[in-house]
């Protein structure tokens, strides 16, 4: 019975992979970078400065842990951000970025474990530390182009042209 279930799972995964459009899927090798941010630095501005310094064309957040002395997030379907001061643990940071743009989401928890998350804005200041690992995708570039559905600039993945 276990073998039949495993076979079913493998076949289901194959079917799901076949149904993904070619333009929605692109393989790439990557380079992983790890760095630490220090107290009072701005989380987003620091990531963007690092990306610019390293000429990142396609970056992803692999993992991030640390703490903030204030967070600034824009919640779903809201025009403006919300800022809260206090002490917060970073529960998750995820997203894509280039040296010119970023789409990052942050989740933080307070001293009672209450967790909140949203779109990362500027003014997220580090309390004690942030340890972050990012990957640069070597074979692709990220661009933003307007999606006709809602008019937002959404991720477009392109094959990177390498000079011979």
């Amino acid at each position: 019975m276990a073998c039949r279930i495993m076979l079913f799972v493998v076949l289901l995964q194959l079917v799901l992979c076949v149904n993904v459009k070619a333009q929605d899927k692109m393989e790439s090798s990557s380079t992983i970078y790890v760095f630490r941010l220090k107290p009072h630095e701005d989380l987003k501005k620091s990531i963007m400065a690092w990306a610019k310094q390293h000429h990142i064309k396609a970056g992803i957040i692999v993992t991030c842990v640390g703490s903030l002395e204030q967070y600034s997030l824009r919640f779903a379907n809201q025009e403006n951000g919300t800022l809260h001061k206090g002490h917060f643990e970073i529960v998750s940071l995820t997203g894509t970025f280039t040296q010119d743009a970023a789409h990052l989401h942050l989740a933080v928890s307070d001293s009672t474990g209450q967790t909140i998350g949203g779109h990362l804005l500027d003014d997220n200041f580090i309390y004690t530390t942030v340890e972050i690992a990012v990957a640069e995708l070597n074979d692709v570039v990220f661009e933003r182009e307007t999606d006709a559905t809602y008019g937002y600039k959404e991720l477009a993945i392109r094959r990177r042209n390498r000079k011979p």
Side-chain angles (χ1 to χ4, degrees):
M1 183 66 166
C3 289
R4 287 183 186 166
I5 293 172
M6 184 62 109
L7 180 60
F8 175 76
V9 170
V10 170
L11 289 174
L12 182 60
Q13 289 173 336
L14 288 172
V15 169
L16 292 174
C17 287
V18 169
N19 287 329
V20 174
K21 296 180 201 171
Q23 71 262 22
D24 293 340
K25 181 179 174 185
M26 199 170 294
E27 294 181 13
S28 179
S29 64
S30 63
T31 305
I32 305 291
Y33 300 92
V34 180
F35 53 95
R36 178 178 172 234
L37 301 175
K38 296 184 179 171
H40 314 298
E41 290 185 285
D42 183 294
L43 180 59
K44 185 177 180 186
K45 286 180 181 177
S46 296
I47 292 168
M48 295 307 295
W50 181 90
K52 188 169 188 147
Q53 178 185 1
H54 290 86
H55 309 286
I56 301 298
K57 303 289 186 207
I60 58 174
I61 303 295
V62 175
T63 190
C64 177
V65 295
S67 61
L68 300 175
E69 57 190 15
Q70 77 176 34
Y71 71 77
S72 178
L73 300 172
R74 184 178 52 77
F75 302 128
N77 207 33
Q78 301 296 310
E79 286 190 31
N80 298 312
T82 299
L83 187 135
H84 280 276
K85 295 179 184 248
H87 294 120
F88 307 96
E89 290 290 334
I90 295 173
V91 176
S92 176
L93 176 64
T94 188
T96 58
F97 63 95
T98 69
Q99 64 187 9
D100 301 314
H103 186 187
L104 303 171
H105 289 190
L106 176 72
V108 296
S109 64
D110 64 17
S111 62
T112 69
Q114 292 273 40
T115 302
I116 194 161
H119 189 86
L120 181 70
L121 302 174
D122 292 341
D123 299 327
N124 287 273
F125 294 115
I126 295 160
Y127 178 48
T128 59
T129 191
V130 164
E131 301 161 7
I132 186 167
V134 300
E136 177 184 18
L137 305 179
N138 299 316
D139 303 310
V140 298
V141 294
F142 291 161
E143 297 174 354
R144 295 274 163 194
E145 56 187 39
T146 302
D147 183 295
T149 308
Y150 293 105
Y152 296 116
K153 289 196 174 278
E154 302 293 359
L155 181 67
I157 306 163
R158 310 268 190 256
R159 178 76 38 210
R160 187 178 293 201
N161 294 326
R162 295 284 183 181
K163 295 179 183 175

